[in-house]
Amino acid sequence: MSTLEVLAASKLAPMYATPLAARYTLYPHDLDAAALAEAAPRIRAIAASGESKVSAALINSLPALELISVMGVGYDGIDVAAAKARGVVVTHTPDVLNDEVADTTLGLMLCVARQLPAADRHVRAGLWPQGPLPLSRKMSGARLGLVGMGRIAKAIARRAQAFDMAIAYTARSAKADLPYTYYDSPAKLAAQSDFLVVITPGGAGTRKLIDAEVLRALGPNGILVNVARGSVVDEAALIAALQAGTIAGAALDVFENEPHVPQALIDMPNVVLAPHIGSATVQTRQAMVDLALGNLAAQFAGQPLLSPVPECRA
Ligand code: NAP
């Protein structure tokens, strides 16, 4: 077994954990305190997922730590400032999941607009002979507002163009090279959108960016789709807006307190729910694992890292 020692930050998917354990001495995330203290001086890397939490306390308890390799593009659970302060580099897996998350987003938009999960339930419950479902709504040609215009948003926009959607966005800055309409706030964008799709990072900078005011601006015919992080949407405000008919519906892949989903959302027929599956295909997860392992291998070989997070780029 390799003498290189790596700590798992959380329970990792077997697809990531198995090759890690084959290459390195891999400690599980739930190592007891005594065993962790014994191994701490030798642990050179943390292997994390996009949902892992890596605190300053953990980082500072590992004196030999060099790298935190996140298998995911979002790294809002990692205390990057604490890592940087210690000279520890954080890497993630951007780009290789753009297509998948964009495909999932268009799928969720179609599911909520055309009520496909309800249609499936209708047939399975044997209700078709009793009559048709209520008419649903058209997605092609509708107005799409993207909150965030990064790697994944661009892939969503390209797909939406094939649906003849009118595309607008908000971000921290306007993108002069893109043909889409820019609004300088989520509320202004929401007022001009039929579908408001949230695809920003999580963390302090975007916490509750989608609040009651944005939902009011989206209006009674508007649909919210969140594929970013649960923290970006004020979930209580969203539930209130759905219950009051302030907005028409929602499709949600992410939640404030995963894997727990508020019963109020489960009970609403105009909401489509998914268990954080944006990138969850065999092909895309393998590409993410390969990149996360590639960053570890590069670090241990003294080679340039493949995909450090922006804060850790030289
Ligand atoms: P990215 O390329 O870094 O793009 C992020 C975009 O968000 C940028 O356009 C940025 O604006 C914008 N943004 C950041 N803070 C903002 C704010 N306060 N207000 C408005 N816009 C803001 O990231 P990406 O690769 O597209 O990934 C985006 C996120 O998707 C990830 O961080 C992750 O949280 C989420 N995600 C979810 C899943 C899933 O399974 N559901 C899978 C993958 C990723 P500027 O361009 O102006 O800087």
Side-chain angles (χ1 to χ4, degrees), residues 73-74 97 101 148-152 171-173 175 199-202 205-206 209 227-229 253-254 276 278-279:
V73 68
L97 41 58
V101 182
M149 188 37 84
R151 292 169 291 246
I152 297 171
R172 288 174 297 192
S173 64
K175 318 294 170 201
I199 186 66
T200 63
T206 55
L209 190 64
V227 283
R229 286 286 183 264
D253 187 43
V254 288
H276 202 149
S279 66

Side-chain angles (χ1 to χ4, degrees), residues 200-267:
T200 63
T206 55
R207 193 169 301 285
K208 297 191 181 2
L209 190 64
I210 307 304
D211 59 10
E213 183 203 347
V214 175
L215 297 169
R216 261 195 309 279
L218 184 56
N221 294 316
I223 288 175
L224 181 80
V225 180
N226 187 9
V227 283
R229 286 286 183 264
S231 61
V232 187
V233 173
D234 181 338
E235 208 165 72
L238 173 63
I239 291 168
L242 286 162
Q243 286 172 336
T246 308
I247 67 170
L252 307 169
D253 187 43
V254 288
F255 303 87
E256 262 181 22
N257 186 27
E258 295 175 12
H260 306 290
V261 176
Q263 191 61 41
L265 290 174
I266 291 171
D267 290 341

Side-chain angles (χ1 to χ4, degrees), residues 78-258:
I78 315 294
D79 192 330
V80 178
K84 277 188 75 175
R86 273 279 319 284
V88 173
V89 180
V90 181
T91 59
H92 64 155
T93 62
D95 288 318
V96 294
L97 41 58
N98 295 349
D99 284 345
E100 209 65 71
V101 182
D103 290 357
T104 305
T105 305
L106 271 288
L108 286 170
M109 290 165 66
L110 280 168
C111 279
V112 65
R114 299 302 319 278
Q115 289 287 297
L116 298 176
D120 178 86
R121 289 194 296 272
H122 188 76
V123 175
R124 284 175 199 280
L127 296 173
W128 191 5
Q130 294 171 29
L133 280 175
L135 297 179
S136 61
R137 65 184 279 176
K138 185 174 177 179
M139 186 167 104
S140 283
R143 298 170 302 167
L144 169 63
L146 286 157
V147 181
M149 188 37 84
R151 292 169 291 246
I152 297 171
K154 287 176 189 150
I156 295 169
R158 282 198 300 276
R159 285 155 176 74
Q161 282 179 319
F163 284 80
D164 298 323
M165 299 188 85
I167 299 164
Y169 69 100
T170 188
R172 288 174 297 192
S173 64
K175 318 294 170 201
D177 56 331
L178 293 178
Y180 316 126
T181 308
Y182 175 72
Y183 292 95
D184 64 9
S185 79
K188 288 180 194 165
L189 175 69
Q192 301 302 323
S193 301
D194 300 308
F195 292 79
L196 189 70
V197 171
V198 189
I199 186 66
T200 63
T206 55
R207 193 169 301 285
K208 297 191 181 2
L209 190 64
I210 307 304
D211 59 10
E213 183 203 347
V214 175
L215 297 169
R216 261 195 309 279
L218 184 56
N221 294 316
I223 288 175
L224 181 80
V225 180
N226 187 9
V227 283
R229 286 286 183 264
S231 61
V232 187
V233 173
D234 181 338
E235 208 165 72
L238 173 63
I239 291 168
L242 286 162
Q243 286 172 336
T246 308
I247 67 170
L252 307 169
D253 187 43
V254 288
F255 303 87
E256 262 181 22
N257 186 27
E258 295 175 12

